[in-house]
Every structure is written in C-alpha cells, then in structure tokens.
Amino acid sequence: MRFTSEQRLDDGVLEREFILGEIPGILWTPDSASASAPASPILLSPPPVGLRRAYPRLVGRARHAARDGFATATIELPGNGDRPRLPGTEQAVAELRRALQVGEPVSDETIDALILPLVDKAVPEWQTVLDALLALPEIGGPVGYSGGVISIGTRLAVVEPRIAAAVLFAGSFIPRVIFEEARQVTIPLHVLLQWDDEGNDRQAALDLFDAFGTKEKTLNANMGGHTGVPQFAGDAAAQFFARHLR
C-alpha cells in the first residue's frame, strides 16, 4: 500500500489516498491525539458511481466513524472512475436502461451480467486491501463492512472471516446466486432500505433480508428515495458498529 497524498481534516481526521497494485482508495484514521490503541477498520464500499462523485457521502460517514474511534477505508470499485471497464457491462447497462424506459421487468440474465462481474472482482480486491490495512500499526481489531452494492457485502460476509459485522444498503439489483449465498451469512447485519428508492426492486430487497442466515439481523426501512437516508438511520448504523466492533 503506497500513500500518494495526505491531509488533516478540520476535525483532526487524517485522510490519505493510496494505491495498492491497480486499486486506488482512501484511508481515514481518527485524530492520533485521541487514539490510544489501534483503530478497528470499517470498509466503506461506495456505490458504483466513481469515488469523486461518492466522496462527499463517504467522507461524511468516515468522519462520523472517526468520532466513534474507528478507521475507515474505501476503494474505487472495478470498472468505475478511471479504472478499465468490466467486460460485458456496457451491453448490460444498455439493456437495463432499455427495460426501465419501456417499463419491462429487468431480466435475471441482465442482472447477472451487470452485477456478478463486479462482485467477482471487487470481493478479492477488498480482501487484498484488508490485508494491507491490518498490516498498518494504527489499524487493528474486529473489522466492519458498510456499503452499497448489497451483493458485494453479502459475498464478503460469507467468504471473509475477519469481518465481524456489516451494514448493508439495499437499492441495487440482486443476482439469483446471491440469494443462495445469503443463507450462509452468520455475522450480525444491519440493513438500510429506502422504501421509495427509484428503480429498486423493493420486494427483492425484502426477500434477500429474509434469506440471510444470521440470527441477528435488523431491517431499518424509511420513506424516501435512494439518497434520502435520514440522519437517525445513519446514527443507528453507527450504534450497531459500536456494539459489535468494540
């Protein structure tokens, strides 16, 4: 992990951009003056819109987590930003837009072609980044995951034993295989669902929540669109991490 820039935010949080192989990302750590021990990391997986566009929301969540003593890290997802596009996704996006424009259901084949290549590449990248994070002296302890593209979080919860708890954001299309993988999830989950999310298959999100195999899962559903998550819902997610990562 090579750090390429560094700045201290006005609340003392240290923000460092990094590159790890072909993976760009950002690490936020609490003010060193208030950190008496290595900080548990929370992996902030962004929506697939590129880090520049997602940055304002991500840095807000990072600063909130730092106040609770947690470090956070995010990466540019495969196929996003300046990274090479994933094979087949442009055709899948075109078919998705066509179906939505004419009011047709989005086919399982289109959802698989759109989401699975991203999941297949992003999950091992997150594991590589986690290896590098836990090698830093200022990072240590139980790991959390928080983010969009709920299929990425679902698979990580299955294959990555270092993740102790996860906050998942409903609101992306879900491949059929992810429903089967969800039955293998055993860690505590806190799922955020915006009831009026544009283009989101609400029933699919509810079905996925039902499929999760964990005995501790909470669904926090609120009225509003995709970016309208209320502050108190974010506070509840922060309290969830405070319970499980300390």
Side-chain angles (χ1 to χ4, degrees):
M1 177 176 283
R2 179 171 60 87
F3 293 107
T4 58
S5 71
E6 177 179 314
Q7 67 169 329
R8 182 76 64 177
L9 305 182
D10 56 16
D11 54 0
V13 174
L14 180 62
E15 176 184 283
R16 288 174 284 177
E17 295 188 10
F18 65 81
I19 189 79
L20 181 62
E22 63 179 23
I23 310 167
I26 307 172
L27 171 64
W28 293 275
T29 47
D31 184 354
S32 59
S34 61
S36 57
S40 291
I42 298 173
L43 309 180
L44 296 184
S45 189
V49 298
L51 275 186
R52 291 182 183 178
R53 182 175 171 187
Y55 176 83
R57 280 183 283 167
L58 293 168
V59 72
R61 288 160 57 195
R63 295 171 86 156
H64 193 164
R67 289 196 294 271
D68 292 331
F70 300 119
T72 48
T74 191
I75 63 171
E76 185 76 85
L77 290 177
N80 284 258
D82 295 328
R83 301 192 65 183
R85 296 298 173 255
L86 296 174
T89 55
E90 291 186 4
Q91 182 178 348
V93 169
E95 175 56 28
L96 170 67
R97 289 174 176 168
R98 186 204 64 78
L100 294 177
Q101 286 173 355
V102 300
E104 292 180 0
V106 181
S107 70
D108 288 336
E109 291 73 20
T110 297
I111 293 173
D112 288 353
L114 182 67
I115 302 297
L116 287 180
L118 175 61
V119 174
D120 290 343
K121 190 167 178 61
V123 166
E125 287 192 351
W126 265 124
Q127 292 180 295
T128 298
V129 170
L130 182 55
D131 289 340
L133 290 173
L134 292 176
L136 298 173
E138 65 268 36
I139 306 293
V143 179
Y145 173 90
S146 175
V149 189
I150 198 168
S151 297
I152 294 176
T154 299
R155 181 169 293 175
L156 263 174
V158 173
V159 304
E160 181 45 72
R162 292 172 292 184
I163 295 179
V167 171
L168 303 179
F169 291 74
S172 53
F173 292 98
I174 307 167
R176 293 161 291 184
V177 68
I178 297 299
F179 288 92
E180 295 304 316
E181 293 180 16
R183 304 184 194 284
Q184 303 174 51
V185 174
T186 59
I187 63 172
L189 297 179
H190 186 94
V191 180
L192 295 172
L193 170 64
Q194 288 300 101
W195 203 250
D196 306 303
D197 195 343
E198 309 86 347
N200 179 39
D201 187 338
R202 181 196 303 160
Q203 189 58 53
L206 295 173
D207 290 344
L208 182 64
F209 180 80
D210 188 49
F212 285 126
T214 180
K215 295 181 179 180
E216 183 177 344
K217 54 184 177 180
T218 298
L219 179 66
N220 190 321
N222 292 279
M223 304 302 291
H226 187 75
T227 59
V229 178
Q231 181 61 50
F232 62 80
D235 292 342
Q239 293 166 6
F240 167 83
F241 279 133
R243 290 197 306 274
H244 293 288
L245 300 184
R246 286 179 176 163

